[in-house]
């Protein structure tokens, strides 16, 4: 299938250095707010790229659950493929593809586990069904049928039929601590505006990148 003629021009206002916040997390907060106001479906959906010890890149979509000056947080099973890769190489890249706004944000940095208290606080806020799902799934492992998964759901429901569901010791959060953040604004004729923030000991350096 030849799809080489699929294209559109990006008609959007430009991005100037003077309009950018000197702090990339505050700039991200502004753009994230714009994405929410625009009605983008799940603006917190982000592509998470990791590389394990074998050097093979891997990518999937996860949900951002919290961000501040210390980093960008998501949650997962600590036995999942992404977790195994992060144990081998604790670095990752994130991509927020807000295409409807002709925008992208790219983030690179080191990765660390969040504290157990942070994981517990978030886990307690999840719907009960999602809490059960965390207990049921041996994420990324093979399973013979959907029926077996549903049997495991029924078993966990019986096990925790009363009271609160505890945090599994194999489930929790990761924080991507940013070292490099790029804000990309689509422009006509593919002459896009790109600004990159690079972390230094005394703050952030901002450069305009060629498209």
């Amino acid at each position: 299938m030849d799809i080489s003629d699929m294209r559109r021009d990006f008609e959007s206002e430009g991005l100037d250095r003077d309009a950018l916040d000197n702090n990339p997390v505050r700039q991200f907060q502004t753009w994230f707010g714009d994405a929410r106001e625009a009605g983008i479906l799940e603006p917190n959906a982000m592509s998470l790229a990791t590389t394990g010890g074998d050097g093979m890149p891997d990518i999937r979509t996860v949900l951002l659950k919290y961000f501040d000056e210390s980093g960008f947080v998501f949650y997962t099973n600590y036995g999942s493929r992404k977790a195994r890769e992060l144990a081998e190489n604790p670095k990752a890249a994130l991509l927020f593809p807000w295409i409807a706004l002709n925008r992208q944000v790219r983030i690179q940095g080191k990765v660390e586990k969040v504290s157990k208290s942070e994981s517990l606080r978030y886990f307690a806020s999840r719907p009960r069904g999602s809490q059960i799902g965390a207990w049921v799934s041996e994420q990324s492992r093979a399973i013979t049928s959907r029926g077996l998964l549903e049997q495991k759901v029924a078993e966990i429901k019986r096990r925790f039929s009363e009271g609160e569901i505890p945090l599994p010791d194999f489930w929790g959060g990761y924080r991507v601590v940013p070292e490099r953040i790029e804000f990309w604004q689509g422009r006509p004729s593919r002459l896009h505006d790109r600004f990159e923030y690079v972390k230094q000991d005394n703050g952030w350096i901002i450069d305009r990148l060629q498209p």
Side-chain angles (χ1 to χ4, degrees):
M1 182 184 297
D2 184 357
I3 57 174
S4 59
D5 62 346
M6 291 183 63
R7 63 175 61 86
R8 70 181 178 89
D9 222 355
F10 294 99
E11 297 292 342
S12 56
E13 295 182 3
L15 184 61
D16 295 323
R17 171 64 185 90
D18 292 343
L20 292 173
D21 196 297
N22 289 330
N23 183 304
V25 177
R26 290 198 298 264
Q27 182 63 40
F28 178 86
Q29 184 174 9
T30 297
W31 272 26
F32 187 81
D34 292 344
R36 294 185 68 179
E37 290 180 9
I40 290 178
L41 181 63
E42 294 195 291
N44 60 325
M46 60 187 186
S47 299
L48 166 68
T50 54
T51 305
D54 61 359
M56 176 63 73
D58 201 357
I59 193 168
R60 75 289 288 163
T61 300
V62 299
L63 295 178
L64 175 69
K65 289 300 179 181
Y66 185 78
F67 68 91
D68 61 10
E69 296 291 338
S70 62
F72 298 78
V73 176
F74 66 93
Y75 290 86
T76 191
N77 186 306
Y78 285 148
S80 65
R81 182 179 298 171
K82 69 178 81 65
R84 296 196 300 271
E85 291 169 346
L86 288 172
E88 296 170 356
N89 179 20
K91 298 179 181 179
L94 306 175
L95 171 67
F96 292 86
W98 297 323
I99 304 303
L101 296 178
N102 299 331
R103 287 176 174 176
Q104 299 181 75
V105 179
R106 301 168 60 201
I107 300 169
Q108 294 174 294
K110 295 179 180 178
V111 181
E112 61 188 24
K113 285 184 177 180
V114 306
S115 67
K116 187 171 183 178
S117 62
E118 288 179 86
S119 293
L120 178 59
R121 184 167 58 250
Y122 172 67
F123 186 79
S125 74
R126 303 183 88 203
R128 192 173 182 86
S130 298
Q131 293 177 340
I132 291 172
W135 274 95
V136 165
S137 177
E138 297 179 57
Q139 197 174 92
S140 304
R141 305 289 182 179
I143 192 168
T144 56
S145 69
R146 175 80 185 187
L148 181 57
L149 190 66
E150 292 171 349
Q151 289 177 20
K152 293 172 68 177
V153 170
E155 177 185 340
I156 294 298
K157 284 183 176 179
R158 287 193 297 270
R159 179 178 173 184
F160 299 120
S161 60
E162 298 180 3
E164 297 181 353
I165 298 176
L167 171 70
D169 59 7
F170 52 81
W171 192 95
Y174 286 98
R175 176 177 288 105
V176 179
V177 182
E179 298 177 355
R180 188 183 303 267
I181 302 180
E182 180 189 323
F183 294 87
W184 182 99
Q185 179 73 66
R187 297 293 302 279
S189 302
R190 300 298 189 259
L191 296 176
H192 313 306
D193 288 325
R194 299 172 60 190
F195 284 93
E196 180 184 67
Y197 294 69
V198 179
K199 183 69 172 178
Q200 302 292 317
D201 291 339
N202 59 345
W204 295 88
I205 291 178
I206 307 174
D207 285 316
R208 176 185 278 273
L209 303 181
Q210 297 185 53

